[in-house]
Amino acid sequence: MSIVVTGATGALGRLVIEELLKRTDPDDLVAVARDRAKAADLAARGVEIKIANYGRPETLQGVFAAGDRVLFISGNEAGQRLTQHRAVIDAAREAGVGLLAYTSVLGGPTATFSIAEEHIATEQALLASGVPYCLLRNGWYHENYTGALATTLKIGAVVGSAGEGRVATAARRDYAEAAAIILTGSGHENAVYELSGDSAWTMAEYAAEVSRQTGRKIPYNDLPAERYVALMVEAGVPALGAQMVADADAGIARGELAATPGDLSRLLGRPTTPIAESIADALKQLPA
């Protein structure tokens, strides 16, 4: 029996592996990736590497074994994810895994923005499979916003289409640590966790915090969805991705990503990372 992390070379997967290495022996870990070269550093630390691609079901055969505890990190190919996710669930069922923890979306079936659709359908497929599951309904990451700080400072504004809606973000590392705690713990079978930050903020409040930390006046420019999509496309974002981001902002405006049930901080045994701390960390990473 092993602890298996799919999508292990992605931003979240790498953080989960880091947290797992603090809690268990590398010999107990399996990292699943599409590219062996990208996982070379993990192999060097004693983690077993298995190569598979969600979009090629035949590659998933033999990735899981009976009793494995698996973190199934959702795919990133919008429009193709449900088919790919069903292939992972099928492989996990056939292998007889002990737990399949899936990174879903905050609110699950109550979420109405388009990004949630494939997550909701995946949850339904997982529940119907009979595989012992754990739904990690992740809210938005701080990094969704702090990752764009260079652009924010370049244009001198935070731009979005979320109106006065609030969003309860947490640091990606917070979600990773929670996943590692679940994978190395017990009693999480057939559980659902609504994971989000301890407090929710508006985009105007985010802009005000960026202003405070930089000493610059950075406003929040709230745009109609169509204009926001056009700006993202002009900046090189694929049209479908831009539309999904704007649609998620509409969900934020409706309050769909503002919930603060406290599941994440309870799993962590500590408060979630404040957005101000992640802004400060991101600013340190920017070129002088």
Side-chain angles (χ1 to χ4, degrees):
M1 183 189 78
S2 300
I3 295 175
V4 183
V5 178
T6 73
T9 57
L12 178 62
R14 283 189 172 279
L15 291 175
V16 173
I17 294 288
E18 288 295 333
E19 293 296 333
L20 286 169
L21 287 169
K22 298 175 185 177
R23 294 169 169 81
T24 192
D25 192 277
D27 290 343
D28 297 329
L29 302 181
V30 174
V32 181
R34 289 183 294 184
D35 185 334
R36 189 174 297 277
K38 290 183 179 179
D41 59 316
L42 301 178
R45 298 175 69 179
V47 177
E48 182 180 359
I49 309 300
K50 292 187 178 181
I51 303 303
N53 187 320
Y54 294 172
R56 295 172 55 203
E58 70 278 6
T59 67
L60 294 165
Q61 301 304 310
V63 166
F64 308 124
D68 282 352
R69 302 173 66 81
V70 181
L71 177 65
F72 171 20
I73 295 178
S74 60
N76 58 8
E77 297 179 68
Q80 302 180 48
R81 286 186 289 190
L82 181 56
T83 298
Q84 295 176 354
H85 289 179
R86 283 175 172 158
V88 176
I89 293 168
D90 288 346
R93 183 186 65 246
E94 291 170 8
V97 303
L99 181 71
L100 188 61
Y102 172 67
T103 59
S104 189
V105 67
L106 187 66
T110 67
T112 64
F113 47 91
S114 58
I115 289 174
E117 293 173 0
E118 289 174 304
H119 288 298
I120 294 168
T122 299
E123 287 192 10
Q124 294 169 344
L126 180 51
L127 268 60
S129 73
V131 175
Y133 65 86
C134 182
L135 298 180
L136 307 182
R137 290 178 174 163
N138 290 354
W140 262 212
Y141 301 152
H142 289 338
E143 290 83 356
N144 290 7
Y145 303 96
T146 61
L149 268 175
T151 300
T152 295
L153 297 179
K154 180 179 179 180
I155 66 176
V158 174
V159 178
S161 191
E164 297 180 358
R166 308 188 77 83
V167 57
T169 59
R172 185 180 278 113
R173 187 172 293 278
D174 291 344
Y175 294 107
E177 184 177 342
I181 288 168
I182 286 168
L183 291 169
T184 56
S186 60
H188 301 290
E189 290 79 7
N190 302 336
V192 178
Y193 296 104
E194 300 285 352
L195 304 177
S196 62
D198 292 337
S199 60
W201 44 267
T202 67
M203 296 299 290
E205 290 169 344
Y206 173 76
E209 181 60 25
V210 173
S211 299
R212 187 189 69 80
Q213 293 199 31
T214 61
R216 295 175 54 184
K217 186 175 182 180
I218 306 292
Y220 170 51
N221 291 346
D222 191 61
L223 302 175
E226 296 80 4
R227 179 57 182 149
Y228 187 32
V229 168
L231 280 178
M232 286 188 280
V233 171
E234 288 171 13
V237 178
L240 177 60
Q243 290 163 3
M244 295 180 81
V245 169
D247 187 60
D249 265 21
I252 291 171
R254 294 190 297 269
E256 294 186 22
L257 288 165
T260 55
D263 286 5
L264 182 53
S265 55
R266 281 190 291 272
L267 280 169
L268 297 175
R270 61 168 175 80
T272 59
T273 305
I275 183 64
E277 184 176 320
S278 288
I279 291 171
D281 289 344
L283 289 172
K284 291 175 186 175
Q285 301 304 313
L286 297 180

